[in-house]
């Protein structure tokens, strides 16, 4: 294996491993006198459950590329935080680590304050499987009353393919649905798949012919930015410009912000906010 480096830097995998190994204290009861600080290679190997020879080769840039499982064990052995784990994977595999297949992080009060600071821009936070887990008042007024829905129904794809009212409110439903599925594929792949995503896909394939048709296209794309046209039952036509942002420090969560395009669109949002959350 050639010595891997982060693009634009001189840091190699071996350099990174040696540096992080040197930062760890061997703790009480460590044997032998030490000429250098930190853990020895054999101590890291024992912690990670790998052979000393293999770990030595890894620091020397020899052998084959390490597996994700081996890297995860080394990350724990070296007590790496999330940033250190990401650097380890970038150096060893030239890609970020897979997201932990755990429950999505809870929305912090500071993130909710960010949402609430957007008074006339509907915004929400979603998981990789497109479950809405946080929102602001404008999202309730313009998009849907998520607060009154059962948790299971706060899923964008379930509503898009299963709620006739949602479909009727989107003049460009076909384009919107195709786009949503292509982004969903990327989101799920980044999160490492998982049983929850597989169950959602199986459910929608069994309940929606349109989902089966569009899912079979196997299209993929990043979320990015674009326009969303909707026809609201009270305010009439509204055009919103959307942008998506990853939530730093919260694996898999992303925030989507919808901004009124014209002064008329902004007035429509303000009208709906003055009426409170929708009744359905």
């Amino acid at each position: 294996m050639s010595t891997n480096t982060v693009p634009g830097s001189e840091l190699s995998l071996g350099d990174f491993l040696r540096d992080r190994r040197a930062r760890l204290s061997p703790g009480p009861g460590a044997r032998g006198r030490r000429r250098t600080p930190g853990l020895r290679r054999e101590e890291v190997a024992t912690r990670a459950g790998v052979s000393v020879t293999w770990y030595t080769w890894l620091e020397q840039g020899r052998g084959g590329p390490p597996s994700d499982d081996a890297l995860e064990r080394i990350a724990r052995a070296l007590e790496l935080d999330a940033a250190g784990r990401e650097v380890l994977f970038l150096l060893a595999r030239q890609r970020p680590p897979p997201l932990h297949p755990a429950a999505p992080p809870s929305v912090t009060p500071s993130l909710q304050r960010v949402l609430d600071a957007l008074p006339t821009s509907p915004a929400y936070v979603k998981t990789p499987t497109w479950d809405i887990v946080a929102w602001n008042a404008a999202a309730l007024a313009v998009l849907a009353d998520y607060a009154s829905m059962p948790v299971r129904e706060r899923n964008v794809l379930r509503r898009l393919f299963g709620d006739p009212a949602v479909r009727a409110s989107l003049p460009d439903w076909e384009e919107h649905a195709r786009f949503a599925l292509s982004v969903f594929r990327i989101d799920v792949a980044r999160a490492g798949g998982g049983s929850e995503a597989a169950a959602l896909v199986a459910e929608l394939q069994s309940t929606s012919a349109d989902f089966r048709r569009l899912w079979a296209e196997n299209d993929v794309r990043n979320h990015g930015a674009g326009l969303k046209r909707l026809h609201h039952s009270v305010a009439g036509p509204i055009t919103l410009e959307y942008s998506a942002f990853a939530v730093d420090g919260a694996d898999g969560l992303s925030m989507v912000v919808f901004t009124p395009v014209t002064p008329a669109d902004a007035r429509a949002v303000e009208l709906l906010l003055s009426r409170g959350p929708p009744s359905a």
Side-chain angles (χ1 to χ4, degrees), residues 10 39 62 67 115 120 129 145 148 153 163 197 215 241 243 277:
E10 298 301 322
L39 297 181
R62 301 163 58 193
S67 67
L115 293 172
T120 59
T129 52
D145 188 4
S148 69
E153 294 180 15
D163 189 333
W215 187 251
E241 184 177 47
S243 298

Side-chain angles (χ1 to χ4, degrees), residues 78-181:
L78 294 175
E79 301 176 16
L80 300 181
D81 59 13
R85 174 174 171 261
E86 182 171 2
V87 171
L88 177 66
F89 271 80
L90 287 171
L91 290 169
R93 300 297 296 269
Q94 290 78 56
R95 61 165 173 76
L99 300 180
H100 288 304
S106 59
V107 174
T108 63
S110 61
L111 179 56
Q112 184 62 56
R113 285 193 289 271
V114 172
L115 293 172
D116 295 338
L118 302 168
T120 59
S121 292
Y124 56 64
V125 175
K126 67 177 180 64
T127 70
T129 52
W130 289 44
D131 289 318
I132 305 300
V133 294
W135 50 83
N136 63 7
L140 295 183
V142 178
L143 301 178
D145 188 4
Y146 302 112
S148 69
M149 294 180 184
V151 172
R152 187 176 182 279
E153 294 180 15
R154 296 175 190 161
N155 181 274
V156 175
L157 298 183
R158 282 195 180 98
R159 301 187 72 244
L160 185 61
F161 287 94
D163 189 333
V166 171
R167 182 164 187 158
S169 71
L170 296 170
D172 308 311
W173 181 89
E174 178 89 9
E175 178 183 346
H176 187 70
R178 179 175 283 107
F179 173 80
L181 288 189

Side-chain angles (χ1 to χ4, degrees), residues 2-13:
S2 61
T3 302
N4 297 317
T5 60
V6 171
S9 81
E10 298 301 322
L11 180 65
S12 71
L13 176 60

Side-chain angles (χ1 to χ4, degrees), residues 1 3 12-19 21 39-41 44 53-62 78:
M1 178 178 66
T3 302
S12 71
L13 176 60
D15 292 335
F16 181 73
L17 292 173
R18 286 187 291 271
D19 176 78
R21 176 163 60 85
L39 297 181
R40 294 168 174 161
R41 285 172 174 168
V44 175
T53 299
W54 182 85
Y55 180 78
T56 300
W57 285 354
L58 193 65
E59 283 199 0
Q60 294 173 346
R62 301 163 58 193
L78 294 175

